[in-house]
Amino acid sequence: MAGAAPDSGTSAETTYRSARVPLLLPTWLVIGIFLILPVALMAVYSFLTKEMRGGVIWEFSLAAYDQFFINRGLFGDEPPSLEWTYISVFGRSIAQAATATTLCLLIGFPTAWFIATRPPATRGVWLFLITVPYWVNLLIRTVSLRFLIRENGPLNDALLGTGLISEPLAMINTNFAVQLGLFYSYLPFMVLPIYAAVERYNFTLSEAAADLYASRWVILREIVLPIVKPGIIAGCLLVFIPSMGAFLAPNLLGGAKNFMIGSLIEEQFKRSLGNWPFGAAVSMILMSLVLILLMLYARSMAKTEAR
Amino acid sequence: MNNAIDIRMVTKTYGTVTALKAVSLSIMDNEFFTLLGPSGCGKTTLLRMIAGFEDVTQGDILLFGQNIATLDPNLRPVNTVFQQYALFPHMSVIDNVAFGLKMKGLDLPTRTARAGEMLEMVHLSSFADRLPAQLSGGQQQRVALARALAPQPKVLLLDEPLSALDLKLRQAMRMELKQLQQDTGITFIFVTHDQEEALTMSNRIAVMSAGHVQQIGTPRDIYETPVNRFVADFIGETNLLEVDVASIAGDRAQVILPGGHAITCSTATHDAGRHHLSIRPERLTLVPLGAGMEAVVDQVIYLGTDLQVLVRLDGGTPLQVRIQNAARTQVPAPGSRIGLHLEEGAARLLAD
Amino acid sequence: MALRSVRHYPSFFSIAMLCLIILYAPLIVVMVYSFNDSPSITNWGGLSLRWYFDVFTGPEAPRFRAAAWNSLTIAVLAATIATAIATAAALAMLRAGKFKGRSLTFALINLPLMVPEIVIAVATLIFFTMIGFTTGYLTILIAHITFCIPFAYLPIAARLQGIDGSYEAAARDLYATRAQSFWLVLLPLMAPGVISGYLLAFIISLDDFIITNFVKGAGMETLPTAIFGSVKQGIKPNIMAISTLMLGVSILFVTLSYLINRKGRQSP
């Protein structure tokens, strides 16, 4: 039978072979012109000279990257040393994103496991409940969280009411608020891929391990986690990457002190105050970090599949 | 022009893999013709090329004398019953059956009437407005048949249509398909890997393997006078022994069995030397010692209608023997010595 | 399910409940407070719909109405165009055989998901500024179409992949032309995926703040940018009413999508 032959194409799989180019042309054009070309332009901009009123002068310059990495003192006359201001913004963003990812994993894994072990009927309902917030406007979710945790907001009221605390907790405009915001924004992204992995998990393996005297938690560590690892990694990436470049959560929940990459970039494009080449350079650095992460991920996935 | 289909030197390659190698065969009008072979032998590819779902790499396909090898599937007056039926899940049963008629441009009253007749023919009139998913496997099978027959194709192609049914239903459908073919007078080309299906339904069978047609013939030809080792082994059960040929004259050969016994048998080869001999287990009989060959009984396996007796010739060659499980049958005891008798036509010398 | 089953882990149920509470508590609180009959967001003044009336008739109503109109029309247009583009791409990716550049095209389709949103925002702003194209509405629309393509593509391709080729073969066998086989058989079978893709693209477009905020230009607002502008001066009760309304729209959409998918699964 044809199906057994490698590379065999049945007619349905090749029905649109002759129409391939016209079918793909819109995709190529739209993404090529409105995404790849702009990103290439952004790369060019990061090597241009800034203009005071926002915008650029078409003259090659490394000033943007120089500003990012090298400290020449307030008046530019000191011996160059490593500039920590922006690197520490990246460091803080990465730390915040990592914390949020860890929180998501700690809550997300048990939740995903719990859902995947429900009978099929209730499983659908649980999945539905987990996905609903993903469909709700992120801005509205963030605003809601801000409303909930603000100094004299409902959460503090409730805590005061129960007598657990005697004065309102300062949650808003803290690091914690940002982490909570990121966690809250991207939690469904952690649950869904882990759920998909656990759903495919063959529970007989757990039974076999239990039969061989492994305890519940040993089974989890030795058998389950290694097998569902691809789902966990996918979930972590799906939370970590958008968290790193997030704008709304740090901006609405973190206040001025808890500045992250997103805000740093946004500042550079505010009307006349900005520095477009510097904004472009920071964006380039952020994008490179993300693409490196994704490439590492793709490589590790390819390795897993090859095994 | 008497042939419904002429396949002329058809080759099919996928990249570097050759699925069919210069296959030629002719299928007569009003014939129930079966392409039989293991999976990967090229039978489905050949069927799909007749339907027009696969391009022909080389060669011609003639339908009543007209070359259709390069026509689009919708321009070929042949219809297919698909393996998993491929009933359109979003259309009712009657709409499925009428689909081909609609595409051919028949008006609504005509096609409704004709589709109704087809459903009546397969005893599903009362299911006309159901969706395919609401039918059982056997019922879906009949709808697929009705749908393919409705446009009155010149040739009906059936791609393992019974493989998704359970055993009882499959056996009943065999008779029904055979009857349908005789009633409609349409040429059926049936693809299967199930030899029993092929033997019970077909006028003729083409046994295929590795992209080649190994043998074409009636079920009796194929079973009783296989041309080579593959056919003998694939169709039914057999004992294959390596033997030395003593002499060959016409289509008779004298061969020496392991253990030294000499027998005469029909032959598919004319070369002397070492060849394979096929002995059908049901053509061997157990006889009292002293007449013919001798063997030792190893094991007796109970199969219900039959008993399978595993014996060993002098020299150690194992053979299996089928005997009927009748009331008077004497079951030999393992370890005992018995005589073996070869019926006329029991053995055949094979080409490789 | 026995308690001793290997599927059961103590405390996982509590964590799953905690997960739901965390996800829903802020939304429910805002929903409740949107019915608060008090101009202060801190004190409870009894139930009322006054802030909903305020949204439609209050001083900020014209601004929100214009923003809502922009948001909705952009979401409808962007989702429609992105779905059409994604459907065509899915056909080429899954029904046109293997070809050189297939994996590159796949990467291209998914690129908007891989590049951080804020980077897309910056790049798009630079691009439109450079070509001197700053009409607001159209720039937002173009940007939305671009990043909606992968969201529309994923469910459509997933659905198409699950449709056995034999349906189209059967249609062709029964004398349907290529076009008839597409419109009468393949497209109806793809419909649940296409609708899911459309709904997802619609919601993603409606949801977007960052990219819109960058490319919108002066004087142009969508609902998220308008809400963001208001919230910067503090959360007012009318924002909670708008939020609740948008929440309703989202829940309506996710329910629709859920039902369509469930129906789609029943009739493969």
Side-chain angles (χ1 to χ4, degrees), chain A residues 3-299:
Chain A
D7 234 0
S8 73
T10 63
S11 70
E13 280 157 6
T14 56
T15 308
Y16 300 97
R17 179 181 281 164
S18 53
R20 188 189 290 149
V21 171
L23 286 173
L24 284 177
L25 203 60
T27 308
W28 288 335
L29 285 180
V30 170
I31 297 192
I33 297 177
F34 299 114
L35 184 60
I36 297 195
L37 186 61
V39 168
L41 266 177
M42 181 183 79
V44 172
Y45 258 56
S46 72
F47 293 103
L48 295 180
T49 308
K50 80 163 177 173
E51 204 206 6
M52 286 310 163
R53 283 165 288 113
V56 288
I57 303 166
W58 282 83
E59 253 170 54
F60 177 80
S61 157
L62 283 173
Y65 292 95
D66 189 275
Q67 180 184 350
F68 189 95
F69 288 109
I70 296 168
N71 178 4
R72 295 175 198 279
L74 203 52
F75 304 101
D77 51 1
E78 287 171 32
S81 60
L82 197 58
E83 167 69 68
W84 283 104
T85 315
Y86 306 112
I87 294 176
S88 70
V89 172
F90 268 70
R92 182 160 60 237
S93 302
I94 290 171
Q96 298 282 57
T99 313
T101 307
T102 312
L103 281 174
C104 281
L105 183 59
L106 288 178
I107 301 277
F109 180 85
T111 305
W113 179 279
F114 178 79
I115 297 174
T117 53
R118 291 308 93 198
T122 28
R123 209 184 286 175
V125 176
W126 273 92
L127 274 183
F128 176 76
L129 288 175
I130 295 290
T131 29
V132 167
Y134 167 69
W135 290 69
V136 175
N137 197 304
L138 181 61
L139 173 63
I140 287 178
R141 280 190 286 154
T142 313
V143 169
S144 305
L145 191 62
R146 175 172 151 136
F147 177 77
L148 181 69
I149 65 170
R150 74 194 200 287
E151 189 139 3
N152 41 12
L155 185 59
N156 267 324
D157 282 356
L159 289 173
L160 285 169
T162 59
L164 280 171
I165 53 172
S166 53
E167 52 187 276
L169 290 175
M171 288 179 284
I172 198 79
N173 297 342
T174 61
N175 259 329
F176 168 72
V178 178
Q179 287 153 10
L180 186 67
L182 295 174
F183 162 74
Y184 174 57
S185 302
Y186 304 117
L187 183 56
F189 289 174
M190 182 65 88
V191 176
L192 295 176
I194 297 181
Y195 163 79
V198 175
E199 201 206 12
R200 282 195 306 270
Y201 174 70
N202 177 3
F203 287 97
T204 323
L205 297 177
S206 284
E207 287 170 353
D211 184 54
L212 297 165
Y213 318 111
S215 75
R216 224 173 268 289
W217 300 102
V218 172
I219 295 171
L220 190 65
R221 194 179 66 227
E222 300 288 328
I223 315 288
V224 175
L225 286 182
I227 290 176
V228 301
K229 203 169 88 187
I232 294 178
I233 294 176
C236 287
L237 275 181
L238 284 176
V239 174
F240 185 79
I241 289 176
S243 294
M244 209 163 55
F247 173 76
L248 286 175
N251 202 285
L252 288 174
L253 302 168
K257 295 192 310 285
N258 302 294
F259 211 67
M260 281 172 61
I261 304 172
S263 312
L264 175 63
I265 294 175
E266 201 251 4
E267 295 258 290
Q268 309 310 318
F269 294 92
K270 271 189 185 161
R271 311 290 163 258
S272 53
L273 305 167
N275 179 341
W276 285 36
F278 183 66
V282 178
S283 302
M284 286 298 293
I285 295 166
L286 172 63
M287 188 177 69
S288 313
L289 275 178
V290 167
L291 291 183
I292 288 169
L293 261 181
L294 286 173
M295 262 185 301
L296 289 177
Y297 171 68
R299 185 171 300 174

Side-chain angles (χ1 to χ4, degrees), chain B residues 260-335:
Chain B
H261 200 83
I263 60 161
T264 3
C265 61
S266 71
T267 180
T269 180
H270 297 282
D271 305 326
R274 250 178 119 66
H275 286 289
H276 278 90
L277 183 74
S278 156
I279 304 174
R280 295 289 182 194
E282 73 278 10
R283 295 290 179 86
L284 278 169
T285 45
L286 301 182
V287 291
L289 270 176
M293 293 183 283
E294 288 187 15
V296 178
V297 177
D298 262 354
Q299 208 181 340
V300 180
I301 298 166
Y302 181 78
L303 298 176
T305 57
D306 291 326
L307 296 172
Q308 187 180 35
V309 185
L310 304 181
V311 302
R312 202 171 285 277
L313 293 178
D314 294 340
T317 308
L319 279 180
Q320 47 161 317
V321 182
R322 271 294 171 105
I323 55 175
Q324 255 189 5
N325 185 16
R328 60 176 193 284
T329 305
Q330 291 185 332
V331 181

Side-chain angles (χ1 to χ4, degrees), chain B residues 53 72 74 76 78-80 82 86-90 100 103-104 147 151, chain C residues 166-167 169-178 180 184-185 188-189 268:
Chain B
F53 304 140
D72 272 359
N74 54 324
R76 301 183 189 202
V78 299
N79 291 129
T80 307
F82 290 82
L87 297 178
F88 305 129
H90 58 299
M103 292 301 110
K104 286 185 100 173
R147 184 177 75 172
Chain C
S166 63
Y167 296 117
R172 299 278 282 146
D173 186 58
L174 294 162
Y175 314 105
T177 62
R178 223 174 276 267
Q180 283 171 320
L184 296 176
V185 175
L189 293 179

